[in-house]
Amino acid sequence: MRVSSRVRLKTLVVGVPLVALAAVSCAGSESEGPPRDSTTTGGSPGTGTGTTGGTTSTGGTVTGTGGTTIPGNGGTGNTGTGGVEIPGGSGSGGAGGAPTPGNGGAPPANGGMAGMPPVGNGGTAGIGGSDPTGTGGDSAGMTGSGGTPPSTGNDPPGYWRSGDWHGCVWTGIDTVEGSTTKITPQDFTSQPAGGPYCVSGTVHGDYKSVSLLGFNLAEPPEGADCSYKPVDINAPGPPAVNIASSGAAGIAVNFAKKTGATLRIQIQGPNGAKDENDRWCYTITDPSGPILAKFSDFNTKCWDGTGNDYAGEPISAIVFTVPGVMGTQEQFDYCVQGFALGNSPDDAPEGGSSGPLTGRIGGPGSRDLDFQRVKVKAGGKSYIIQNNNWGNPDGTDQTIEYRDNSFTIVQATGAGPGAGVPASFPSIYIGANGDTQGGLFSTSSDDNLPKQISTIQSIQTKFKYNRAGGNYNAAYDVWFSASPPNAPYEDAISGFVMVWLYDPPQNQPIGSPLPEQANIAGRNWQVWVGQRGGSRANANAPVVSYVATQTLMEMQFDLLDFIKDATKHGIQPSWYLTDVFAGFEIWDGNGTQGLAVEEFTAVVQ
């Protein structure tokens, strides 16, 4: 008997420990924000949940449609400055939470320090309730208003000037015991002034770990030493400037990344080394610049927005940080090409192209790796790639490598838990399901979703993969909601459409086949119709699946043609399209090494 495919929900909450920073040149402590899921004593419980690919056997074992598993955001304990570390509580479905890293301190002007540990060299663990991401570090802006003034001739190596901003450019790393964090170069004393400022390396596999690239804003050249040096937690911070008085909406940044590692901006006041409320962070949600980081979006807890908003306080440094990921080394490689006060991304300095975005997600280790995601960009559109090893994460591991809007499975072990449930659903998608981390894992900025079916003009899409023949399908999973979602969602709220390009002999969609085939996009399809099933609120949601009568290795078509046909079988024209996935529901990972989505695009008009 063949078994059908659908998605099962999963909740994951993971704790976040402290972050400690190491030596920085000329300045530096940093805010290491908590991971997307964290729960600590004194914090709030995890709230986010995610969807995962699942199955329903013909005998009635139901799971959810092949979707995504997004770990939820748990509450986090505080690791701010001047506090006492609180042991983490446990989140629903996840490991016991640990306190999140505190905000890092600010380094001094003139050859200053990196801040003090534990978070961003400047934060100590806080005592409950809040979970500031360490945001220490002094930095200088790259392109202020009015152009770049000439050097007086006394600027030390590694010093930069841009408009009225000037000071050392510096780097820093965490001081976590046993940390393997590395950053290259350590300083910019041997490089020409003016940038771009490029760094690369790895961040240790711990939420307490971090790398930093900082710029001081008002550091006098006299006596400044911009070479890399150990932290001096007792040194004063550099002078501050009032960046908010310009009337600009925020900081326009041009940057280029070669990996999908999370990148944050931190602005820090002169007391940031000892006061967690004198530093604010902003998570960059776009894979490439230019972007505008609005002052109104900076928060002392930028990972969940529950801290204090930036209110125009004086700033002495701007820092770019890459936080660690529990259980794996996070590779980073990016360039800051320039930044300026501005009102739109167009106000950022011009910069070069970033090239392909590459990297690896997943692997053995923490539960977070099973559900790790990354945002990429192709053709001017954003996509999310997810590892989504949801079916049996305690018994299996999966690793995928990505390159822009493609990915390859490099390692997968074992099978699903049985009853037709897949082991995983590695996939790429557009949409905003699960815990989006404030847009970091959402394509809402350019996907035109959610959009009512009756108003959609077309959904031009392409799905190409490299081989068929194993115990997996190659399929689209399309989600609908009767109204635009007004809260986080982890599953299709009202209905599903699936398009199977490859149908493995052992498995089949939910429901039963209709007696007649459908001819859509110039091909014949076996149509299956059934209900989502299970005990959830959407148990009666219609599931309409189209299975190619002959295996297709590549297809470029208008997905709207399938959706229109599905309105004959329970999908309502008044509903809203929310998400479009493409990938593999894998029932047995053995033999899937090298299986790849070579290209996926989806443009909703």
Side-chain angles (χ1 to χ4, degrees):
M1 178 176 68
R2 302 201 304 165
V3 180
S4 74
S5 162
R6 279 290 87 207
V7 185
R8 186 183 300 272
L9 288 167
K10 202 143 186 91
T11 301
L12 181 65
V13 181
V14 187
V16 185
L18 293 172
V19 170
L21 294 183
V24 300
S25 151
C26 236
S29 51
E30 187 277 352
S31 82
E32 202 301 282
R36 59 180 179 270
D37 313 298
S38 56
T39 298
T40 65
T41 303
S44 59
T47 57
T49 56
T51 65
T52 54
T55 64
T56 298
S57 70
T58 54
T61 303
V62 178
T63 64
T65 55
T68 64
T69 299
I70 311 295
N73 272 342
T76 57
N78 194 5
T79 65
T81 57
V84 180
E85 178 175 352
I86 297 296
S90 60
S92 169
T100 63
N103 295 319
N110 300 341
M113 53 103 172
M116 56 184 173
V119 175
N121 285 344
T124 56
I127 50 177
S130 62
D131 71 27
T133 58
T135 60
D138 281 295
S139 54
M142 288 187 61
T143 62
S145 59
T148 302
S151 167
T152 62
N154 297 320
D155 292 350
Y159 196 88
W160 69 274
R161 291 175 176 271
S162 184
D164 294 330
W165 295 342
H166 51 88
C168 285
V169 185
W170 49 269
T171 69
I173 61 174
D174 60 83
T175 56
V176 173
E177 183 178 359
S179 175
T180 58
T181 300
K182 297 179 180 178
I183 187 168
T184 301
Q186 289 187 317
D187 61 43
F188 295 89
T189 57
S190 62
Q191 299 189 22
Y197 295 93
C198 302
V199 291
S200 62
T202 56
V203 181
H204 183 62
D206 193 309
Y207 293 138
K208 296 179 290 186
S209 300
V210 69
S211 70
L212 310 89
L213 168 63
F215 302 82
N216 290 344
L217 295 180
E219 180 178 14
E222 296 79 15
D225 179 2
C226 301
S227 62
Y228 188 87
K229 60 182 58 64
V231 175
D232 180 0
I233 63 175
N234 296 314
V241 296
N242 192 344
I243 62 177
S245 64
S246 66
I251 303 172
V253 183
N254 207 344
F255 69 96
K257 297 198 298 184
K258 293 183 179 180
T259 75
T262 298
L263 186 62
R264 293 191 177 109
I265 307 173
Q266 171 183 299
I267 56 178
Q268 182 166 306
N271 297 316
K274 298 180 179 180
D275 184 359
E276 66 186 26
N277 292 313
D278 198 30
R279 51 185 177 259
W280 302 262
C281 58
Y282 172 92
T283 300
I284 297 175
T285 60
D286 291 287
S288 61
I291 60 100
L292 178 68
K294 294 182 179 180
F295 290 133
S296 58
D297 292 332
F298 279 85
N299 190 276
T300 55
K301 301 177 183 178
C302 63
W303 53 95
D304 63 9
T306 61
N308 298 325
D309 292 333
Y310 176 63
E313 292 86 346
I315 297 300
S316 59
I318 296 176
V319 187
F320 295 84
T321 69
V322 176
V325 174
M326 185 63 71
T328 187
Q329 289 194 346
E330 182 78 332
Q331 294 184 344
F332 64 91
D333 189 343
Y334 68 92
C335 293
V336 175
Q337 297 157 335
F339 55 90
L341 296 174
N343 296 307
S344 78
D346 293 337
D347 293 323
E350 294 183 358
S353 62
S354 60
L357 198 67
T358 63
R360 173 178 290 202
I361 57 176
S366 73
R367 181 67 66 89
D368 271 7
L369 300 181
D370 291 314
F371 307 109
Q372 196 171 8
R373 296 165 291 168
V374 64
K375 180 186 283 189
V376 298
K377 209 156 192 175
K381 297 292 185 180
S382 302
Y383 298 91
I384 308 296
I385 295 175
Q386 60 172 356
N387 192 39
N388 203 15
N389 185 47
W390 74 271
N392 184 20
D394 292 331
T396 64
D397 293 306
Q398 181 175 273
T399 306
I400 63 178
E401 292 182 346
Y402 60 88
R403 180 184 176 90
D404 291 338
N405 58 330
S406 66
F407 68 84
T408 302
I409 298 172
V410 296
Q411 178 261 351
T413 62
V421 178
S424 64
F425 181 47
S427 47
I428 178 171
Y429 67 90
I430 58 173
N433 64 87
D435 171 23
T436 66
Q437 291 285 289
L440 181 60
F441 300 116
S442 162
T443 61
S444 296
S445 62
D446 55 31
D447 63 14
N448 292 327
L449 298 176
K451 191 173 180 66
Q452 196 168 36
I453 294 173
S454 61
T455 67
I456 297 175
Q457 299 178 5
S458 68
I459 310 172
Q460 294 299 323
T461 182
K462 181 177 181 179
F463 179 21
K464 180 181 179 181
Y465 63 106
N466 65 339
R467 73 175 192 238
N471 194 6
Y472 54 84
N473 67 10
Y476 282 82
D477 196 7
V478 187
W479 290 6
F480 302 93
S481 175
S483 60
N486 56 12
Y489 60 98
E490 306 82 28
D491 198 2
I493 297 172
S494 302
F496 308 79
V497 167
M498 293 195 77
V499 181
W500 290 35
L501 276 61
Y502 167 60
D503 177 18
Q506 306 94 324
N507 299 287
Q508 67 189 32
I510 273 179
S512 303
L514 299 182
E516 294 185 1
Q517 296 179 356
N519 186 278
I520 304 174
R523 295 175 173 84
N524 292 327
W525 305 84
Q526 181 69 63
V527 184
W528 292 69
V529 178
Q531 292 183 332
R532 162 82 162 75
S535 58
R536 300 179 60 84
N538 64 348
N540 295 325
V543 181
V544 185
S545 301
Y546 297 85
V547 180
T549 56
Q550 293 184 332
T551 296
L552 303 172
M553 301 301 299
E554 176 181 350
M555 191 171 177
Q556 188 167 357
F557 62 103
D558 189 346
L559 182 59
L560 183 59
D561 293 338
F562 287 86
I563 296 173
K564 287 181 176 179
D565 188 84
T567 61
K568 304 173 187 176
H569 310 297
I571 303 299
Q572 301 299 310
S574 61
W575 288 357
Y576 289 77
L577 172 66
T578 62
D579 302 80
V580 178
F581 305 81
F584 309 107
E585 287 184 308
I586 299 174
W587 284 268
D588 189 344
N590 294 316
T592 59
Q593 183 175 358
L595 180 63
V597 170
E598 296 183 334
E599 183 179 1
F600 170 73
T601 59
V603 179
V604 180
Q605 299 288 348

